[in-house]
């Protein structure tokens, strides 16, 4: 006798529940606040939309219309406790379409911003980047915009502010215009800038609006510029590879030396060894210092 197929609710390859991990990762990478829970059928996923980054207003009607226009086979409802829109995704395909339509633009933008922030940090530029789904705002805040002058030097214009009275609003405005034209030339298309003049308690603040493509081109150009202190970049890359706490120093007795000391704890040494040779299983028993 042939047994009847099971009738209970089970996670299958094509169910939304099977793609839950993929959705959780995408939400995290996109910076979305949207808790996930399994639906009553055990195969669908319910996503409660708390994030302000949604492409639809906080109403069932707008969410339903957006789902339809995006070609996503899903339903929207209002949670009676939180009054938030809840999107129910019934299949793995609906999860993939949901990620592509709503989350992927933000993932791409945040990845682009992170790359730009890394290269700016490598050059000692402490800037703030506000992320939109299709653009970035680069905020340079500094007295007399010294950071903007450094950015210009890295882009091949070391004398951009030498003849300007940067302690006056007029000089800052002219510097802003020059920086705008310089970055426009670097990225190959016009960028917009906005200046907020400082006061006794606030530094000058320059905002540079960039599309994602402009941000990528600026990043590539900055990657070509020589880093004044290579240890900063090495420190950042080590941190990403082995975790915070790895130490990169220049021997104090050798000013200008091209030698660096890398100090790792045993766990960090194991991670670095595994990264260099994944087939080698090493568990060092003591700290490691290498030159």
């Amino acid at each position: 006798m042939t047994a009847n197929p099971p009738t209970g609710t089970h996670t299958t390859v094509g169910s939304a529940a099977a793609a839950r991990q993929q959705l959780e990762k995408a939400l995290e990478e996109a910076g979305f606040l949207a808790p996930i829970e399994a639906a009553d059928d055990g195969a669908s996923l319910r996503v409660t939309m708390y994030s302000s980054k949604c492409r639809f207003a906080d109403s069932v009607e707008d969410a339903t219309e957006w789902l339809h226009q995006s070609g996503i086979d899903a339903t929207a409802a209002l949670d009676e406790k939180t009054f938030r829109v809840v999107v129910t995704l019934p299949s793995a395909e609906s999860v993939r379409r949901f990620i592509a339509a709503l989350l992927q633009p933000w993932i791409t933008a945040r990845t682009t911003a992170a790359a730009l922030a890394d290269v700016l940090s490598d050059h000692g530029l402490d800037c703030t980047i506000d992320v939109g789904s299709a653009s970035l705002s680069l905020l340079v805040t500094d007295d007399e915009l010294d950071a903007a002058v450094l950015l210009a030097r890295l882009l091949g214009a070391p004398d951009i502010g030498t003849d300007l009275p940067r302690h006056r609003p007029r000089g800052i405005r002219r510097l802003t215009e020059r920086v705008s034209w310089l970055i426009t030339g670097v990225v190959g298309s016009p960028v917009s800038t906005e200046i907020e003049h400082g006061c006794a308690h606030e530094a000058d603040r320059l905002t540079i609006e960039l599309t994602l493509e402009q941000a990528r081109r600026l990043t590539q150009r900055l990657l070509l510029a020589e880093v004044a202190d290579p240890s900063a970049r090495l420190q950042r890359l080590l941190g990403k590879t082995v975790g915070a706490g790895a130490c990169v120093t220049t021997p104090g007795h050798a000013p200008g030396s091209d030698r660096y000391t890398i100090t790792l704890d045993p766990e960090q040494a194991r991670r670095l060894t595994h990264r260099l040779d994944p087939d080698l299983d090493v568990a060092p028993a003591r700290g490691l210092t290498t030159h």
Side-chain angles (χ1 to χ4, degrees), residues 27-48:
L27 286 167
E28 179 181 359
E29 292 178 346
F32 261 67
L33 179 59
I36 305 172
E37 62 179 0
D40 293 340
D41 62 7
S44 302
L45 293 177
R46 289 165 45 88
V47 186
T48 304

Side-chain angles (χ1 to χ4, degrees), residues 15-218:
S15 70
R20 178 167 184 162
Q21 187 174 2
Q22 180 184 359
L23 179 57
E24 289 175 339
K25 180 181 178 182
L27 286 167
E28 179 181 359
E29 292 178 346
F32 261 67
L33 179 59
I36 305 172
E37 62 179 0
D40 293 340
D41 62 7
S44 302
L45 293 177
R46 289 165 45 88
V47 186
T48 304
M49 308 304 300
Y50 280 94
S51 179
S52 61
K53 299 177 181 179
C54 293
R55 292 177 177 267
F56 47 84
D58 194 17
S59 73
V60 173
E61 293 76 17
D62 286 338
T64 300
E65 178 63 19
W66 178 82
L67 290 168
H68 176 72
Q69 292 181 354
S70 302
I72 302 173
D73 179 20
T75 58
L78 190 67
D79 185 279
E80 296 180 355
K81 295 181 179 179
T82 64
F83 297 101
R84 296 286 183 174
V85 171
V86 178
V87 175
T88 300
L89 303 169
S91 65
E93 178 62 22
S94 66
V95 170
R96 286 189 287 269
R97 288 180 178 269
F98 183 80
I99 292 173
L102 183 62
L103 305 180
Q104 188 58 53
W106 288 99
I107 294 172
T108 301
R110 285 164 61 90
T111 301
T112 302
L116 179 57
D118 282 347
V119 71
L120 289 170
S121 177
D122 289 344
H123 287 293
L125 281 166
D126 185 16
C127 303
T128 301
I129 301 177
D130 290 340
V131 182
S133 61
S135 64
L136 306 177
S137 295
L138 176 62
L139 282 63
V140 181
T141 305
D142 206 352
D143 289 331
E144 299 184 8
L145 291 185
D146 288 338
V149 173
L150 173 56
L151 177 60
R153 180 181 66 77
L154 295 171
L155 297 176
D159 302 323
I160 198 169
T162 53
D163 60 340
L164 298 178
R166 288 190 282 133
H167 60 288
R168 298 179 179 177
R170 176 172 58 88
I172 292 296
R173 285 196 301 271
R174 293 192 62 188
L175 175 63
T176 298
E177 292 173 357
R178 293 182 182 184
V179 170
S180 178
W181 282 110
L182 174 63
I183 296 179
T184 292
V186 168
V187 302
S189 55
V191 299
S192 62
T193 57
E194 181 180 351
I195 183 67
E196 296 180 30
H197 299 290
C199 59
H201 305 289
E202 295 288 341
D204 297 307
R205 172 168 164 162
L206 172 63
T207 302
I208 305 169
E209 299 289 345
L210 301 164
T211 66
L212 297 187
E213 180 57 31
Q214 289 172 334
R216 294 187 193 101
R217 292 183 180 184
L218 180 59

Side-chain angles (χ1 to χ4, degrees), residues 203-258:
D204 297 307
R205 172 168 164 162
L206 172 63
T207 302
I208 305 169
E209 299 289 345
L210 301 164
T211 66
L212 297 187
E213 180 57 31
Q214 289 172 334
R216 294 187 193 101
R217 292 183 180 184
L218 180 59
T219 300
Q220 290 301 314
R221 178 63 178 271
L222 290 171
L223 285 171
L224 298 176
E226 182 178 357
V227 178
D229 182 10
S231 65
R233 177 175 289 176
L234 180 57
Q235 180 85 54
R236 175 176 61 79
L237 294 175
L238 270 176
K240 287 188 173 183
T241 302
V242 303
C247 182
V248 180
T249 57
T250 303
H253 62 276
S257 172
D258 58 357

